[in-house]
Amino acid sequence: VSARISFQVKVKEAGSPLRAPFGGFEFYRKLSKEQLEDFVIQIQQKLIQLGVNEILIRNHPNLYNEVEAQLVNDSLLNLEFEFSEDVCSIILVDEKPYHRKIKISERQKLVKAEKLFEFERVNKKQLPTLYSFIASCREERNQSLSMTLPELRKLVTVFPDRILFFKVGTNSEISAAAIVIRVSKTILYTFYYAHTKTHNRISPAVFLISGIYDYALKHKISMIDLGTSMINGHVNKSLLHFKTSIGGVVTKKQTFTKML
């Protein structure tokens, strides 16, 4: 196998993926632009036979593998796909201490949070508690979660070794929490993370990310994907500013569409 892609068909649209943050191509060896284009042409023919009239491919952030991202971009544009871009942020994990990757203002909050709270990785039994906490934090900000608790439980059941849980707080309360997906051996994706509004000045989320960074360093993980900074198709400047302040490097993620 040189490359693969999975689609989920809903009505007449084939999506890769249907609901996840990204899908797209997986490469197992180097392909030429001509080989990839031939593969996509065959995919289109097969999807037409299945009654599909629209393709959607949501690729991973370019920083995951910039060479492969460029190959996909060039090939799909040559085959008359249209595309849109999301702005994302990724923390690069290396020997440089986390506190040196963040802005001075966030560093000061980190020092305060380290004195007030404890960072902890917890097991999946804590899922209902963490989910409830994150959901309440989102409600404070008039936001919602994309998955229900039963849906998330199912995800944990299917991928028990890929879903990680972290929290920051005291013995009596949680101040920040994260549900993290291990995308690959070298990449973590912060699927859900949040902190309480009452602790905005201290920003325990920075301490939370600091703990996840240390976990990543220990387990030879090279990237922490903080996700998109887009809301309703537009860049949320305050969210992007926060993510870059806590060490995120800005990258883009393409979504390709085509009517068949």
Side-chain angles (χ1 to χ4, degrees):
V1 177
S2 298
R4 69 182 291 272
I5 186 169
S6 298
F7 287 95
Q8 293 163 298
V9 178
K10 186 176 182 180
V11 190
K12 293 188 177 183
E13 179 185 286
S16 179
L18 181 66
R19 293 180 60 189
F22 57 83
F25 296 91
E26 291 180 89
F27 295 93
Y28 298 91
R29 65 187 69 186
K30 190 174 181 180
L31 284 184
S32 68
K33 182 168 172 284
E34 291 73 25
Q35 287 173 317
L36 181 57
E37 287 179 11
D38 180 64
F39 182 37
V40 175
I41 289 169
Q42 292 186 60
I43 289 168
Q44 290 177 165
Q45 293 169 347
K46 181 64 68 173
L47 290 174
I48 289 171
Q49 292 174 14
L50 295 172
V52 169
N53 59 22
E54 184 176 0
I55 299 177
L56 181 147
I57 299 173
R58 190 177 293 115
N59 208 29
H60 56 67
N62 294 350
L63 202 56
Y64 280 22
N65 189 313
E66 292 180 296
V67 174
E68 290 179 357
Q70 189 63 53
L71 173 63
V72 170
N73 184 74
D74 293 345
S75 299
L76 294 185
L77 291 184
N78 197 45
L79 292 173
E80 300 181 333
F81 278 75
E82 296 181 352
F83 80 99
S84 60
E85 291 184 323
D86 284 5
V87 173
C88 309
S89 301
I90 292 175
I91 297 174
L92 301 177
V93 181
D94 50 40
E95 293 302 321
K96 188 176 181 180
Y98 178 70
H99 69 269
R100 291 181 57 195
K101 289 179 174 282
I102 63 180
K103 291 190 175 180
I104 293 176
S105 57
E106 299 299 333
R107 201 178 302 166
Q108 292 168 342
K109 293 175 184 177
L110 176 59
V111 172
K112 289 180 182 178
E114 287 174 335
K115 293 176 180 177
L116 293 171
F117 307 118
E118 294 290 333
F119 171 84
E120 185 182 0
R121 180 190 172 191
V122 297
N123 60 39
K124 63 183 180 181
K125 292 180 181 178
Q126 295 281 326
L127 172 59
T129 302
L130 297 192
Y131 182 90
S132 177
F133 170 81
I134 293 171
S136 66
C137 290
R138 292 289 180 94
E139 287 173 10
E140 286 182 325
R141 296 165 175 81
N142 297 315
Q143 299 169 352
S144 59
L145 296 177
S146 57
M147 294 183 74
T148 64
L149 180 56
E151 287 173 333
L152 200 48
R153 282 185 190 274
K154 185 176 180 180
L155 188 67
V156 173
T157 301
V158 176
F159 302 106
D161 300 325
R162 291 295 187 97
I163 317 298
L164 309 173
F165 307 95
F166 303 94
K167 71 175 183 178
V168 160
T170 63
N171 290 333
S172 59
E173 66 173 348
I174 301 173
S175 299
I179 298 172
V180 176
I181 298 174
R182 187 159 187 171
V183 177
S184 69
K185 290 181 179 180
T186 58
I187 300 171
L188 291 181
Y189 173 67
T190 51
F191 185 55
Y192 290 149
Y193 62 101
H195 72 273
T196 55
K197 258 189 172 183
T198 54
H199 289 132
N200 271 352
R201 287 190 175 185
I202 304 170
S203 192
V206 184
F207 184 30
L208 178 70
I209 298 298
S210 174
I212 296 172
Y213 184 94
D214 290 341
Y215 173 89
L217 188 60
K218 182 180 178 181
H219 292 84
K220 299 181 179 180
I221 292 165
S222 59
M223 295 184 191
I224 301 172
D225 186 348
L226 298 176
T228 181
S229 294
M230 308 288 290
I231 294 181
N232 298 323
H234 299 283
V235 177
N236 183 315
K237 292 182 179 179
S238 62
L239 181 58
L240 180 61
H241 174 74
F242 169 72
K243 289 179 178 180
T244 54
S245 296
I246 63 171
V249 175
V250 177
T251 185
K252 292 184 178 180
K253 178 175 71 173
Q254 279 83 21
T255 295
F256 300 91
T257 55
K258 183 177 182 179
M259 300 301 296
L260 299 177

